[in-house]
Amino acid sequence: MGTDAAGLGRGRAMAFILPALVLIGVFLVFPALWTVYLGLTDYRLTGLAAAEPRFVGLDNYAAALTDARFGSSLWLTVQFVLGSAVAGQAVLGFAVAWVARGLRTPVRRAVEGLVLLSWILPGSVVAFLWIALLDRDGGTLNALLNTPGTAWLLDHPMLSIIVFNIWRGTAFSMMLYSAALENVPPSHLETARLAGASTVRQLGDVVLPRIKGHVLTNLLLISLWTFNDFTPFLLTAGGPEGRSEILPVYVYAIALNGGRLGAGAAVSFLILLINLVFALIYLRLLRARNAPPTAAAPGGRGAV
């Protein structure tokens, strides 16, 4: 019998990991394969196509890629990711973590607790609170800005869901950056400050190079989460007139509201491919960051 590094033996080692493999197969592999199959059929929720779906090959994919509604949803999703994840959560999360590290411990804990509260609340509860905040009649925001009658969710739907998602998701970035900043030696920052470096120079020359891996990890995770986030549906349902219909909402509209499960599965698989592109870009950047420097050969030329 073969043995592994722990000395368990191959059979007992496989027995330990078998439950995990079964769960992965049931909840990840099988749904993924089933989605691929559905995307190649005209499967529907009701009617003859629900009982006897036909194989249509790549027709669903071709229809999605030539659908102006899909292109609009993809562009809105890009705006949503760049606005709420990259420019919003990542930047604001770092700013909160950077400011909080200089506060006294009780104040820092209070700030972190308030930020975390928005993250741990259920999405449906948060959506209800934001609907009340942005309500046209009697909304809190209109009362604060003295702009009665302004329908934020109708007049500015994308801005509304971007700000909403920033408020919800900043806590994760803050926690990750707080942990990363603990690894920056205070003596390095103090040396830079004594040398006359401004805060911007300290961030660019001392802090960011040391936490670059954390930044890449954070950007990947929040970009993927935001790209696949369905919660904005609770605020705008993709409206008005599709002006906030990001890709997850578009899939819901055609697969469940429209009953076209095959078409929805095809779009879902396209979303998976886009997610894979995100992941590959991240892995390439991370590999480049961790690559050892090329040793210099005598005479100033790089070693072959």
Side-chain angles (χ1 to χ4, degrees), residues 56-163:
V56 297
L58 299 178
D59 289 356
N60 287 327
Y61 295 93
L65 294 174
T66 56
D67 184 7
R69 188 177 173 187
F70 173 80
S72 174
S73 295
L74 178 59
W75 172 237
L76 290 174
T77 306
V78 171
Q79 294 180 48
F80 184 54
V81 172
L82 293 178
S84 68
V86 178
Q89 296 176 31
V91 175
L92 183 59
F94 179 82
V96 173
W98 177 257
V99 172
R101 69 189 296 271
L103 301 175
R104 290 182 298 177
T105 301
V107 179
R108 184 172 70 251
R109 297 303 182 209
V111 171
E112 292 174 347
L114 289 174
V115 177
L116 280 172
L117 184 62
S118 64
W119 194 48
I120 63 177
L121 286 174
S124 57
V125 175
V126 175
F128 175 80
L129 294 175
W130 272 78
I131 290 173
L133 173 71
L134 302 175
D135 185 55
R136 175 189 297 182
D137 301 316
T140 307
L141 184 60
N142 281 337
L144 292 174
L145 299 179
N146 194 25
T147 55
T150 301
W152 295 96
L153 295 175
L154 297 177
D155 299 337
H156 310 284
M158 280 303 298
L159 178 62
S160 297
I161 64 173
I162 285 174
V163 175

Side-chain angles (χ1 to χ4, degrees), residues 7-301:
L8 293 174
R10 183 172 301 174
R12 282 182 291 178
M14 286 299 299
F16 273 108
I17 66 173
L18 185 59
L21 294 177
V22 171
L23 291 175
I24 291 173
V26 172
F27 293 105
L28 290 179
V29 177
F30 174 74
L33 295 177
W34 183 249
T35 299
V36 173
Y37 164 73
L38 289 182
L40 300 174
T41 69
D42 66 345
Y43 196 87
R44 300 182 67 92
L45 276 176
T46 59
L48 183 61
E52 299 179 2
R54 292 184 303 107
F55 181 81
V56 297
L58 299 178
D59 289 356
N60 287 327
Y61 295 93
L65 294 174
T66 56
D67 184 7
R69 188 177 173 187
F70 173 80
S72 174
S73 295
L74 178 59
W75 172 237
L76 290 174
T77 306
V78 171
Q79 294 180 48
F80 184 54
V81 172
L82 293 178
S84 68
V86 178
Q89 296 176 31
V91 175
L92 183 59
F94 179 82
V96 173
W98 177 257
V99 172
R101 69 189 296 271
L103 301 175
R104 290 182 298 177
T105 301
V107 179
R108 184 172 70 251
R109 297 303 182 209
V111 171
E112 292 174 347
L114 289 174
V115 177
L116 280 172
L117 184 62
S118 64
W119 194 48
I120 63 177
L121 286 174
S124 57
V125 175
V126 175
F128 175 80
L129 294 175
W130 272 78
I131 290 173
L133 173 71
L134 302 175
D135 185 55
R136 175 189 297 182
D137 301 316
T140 307
L141 184 60
N142 281 337
L144 292 174
L145 299 179
N146 194 25
T147 55
T150 301
W152 295 96
L153 295 175
L154 297 177
D155 299 337
H156 310 284
M158 280 303 298
L159 178 62
S160 297
I161 64 173
I162 285 174
V163 175
F164 161 77
N165 200 57
I166 292 173
W167 186 85
R168 280 185 65 228
T170 295
F172 176 81
S173 296
M174 179 205 69
M175 291 189 296
L176 191 148
Y177 287 136
S178 294
L181 290 174
E182 293 293 331
N183 296 323
V184 179
S187 59
H188 291 190
L189 291 173
E190 183 65 17
T191 301
R193 187 182 65 81
L194 293 176
S198 63
T199 301
V200 175
R201 289 294 301 274
Q202 293 177 41
L203 291 175
D205 296 341
V206 178
V207 177
L208 292 180
R210 293 189 67 92
I211 67 171
K212 184 179 179 181
H214 297 81
V215 173
L216 292 175
T217 300
N218 181 60
L219 287 176
L220 172 71
L221 293 176
I222 62 177
S223 295
L224 292 178
W225 291 340
T226 303
F227 197 94
N228 299 282
D229 191 10
F230 184 73
T231 310
F233 177 85
L234 301 176
L235 266 69
T236 64
E241 299 178 350
R243 288 166 54 199
S244 62
E245 189 180 62
I246 56 178
L247 280 176
V249 178
Y250 171 70
V251 172
Y252 172 83
I254 63 175
L256 297 181
N257 281 355
R260 300 160 53 206
L261 290 180
V267 177
S268 297
F269 186 72
L270 291 175
I271 294 176
L272 173 63
L273 294 180
I274 297 173
N275 289 333
L276 288 176
V277 171
F278 273 126
L280 290 175
I281 292 174
Y282 161 76
L283 291 175
R284 186 175 182 88
L285 291 173
L286 189 62
R287 188 178 297 113
R289 172 183 176 273
N290 294 331
T294 303
R301 301 180 63 182

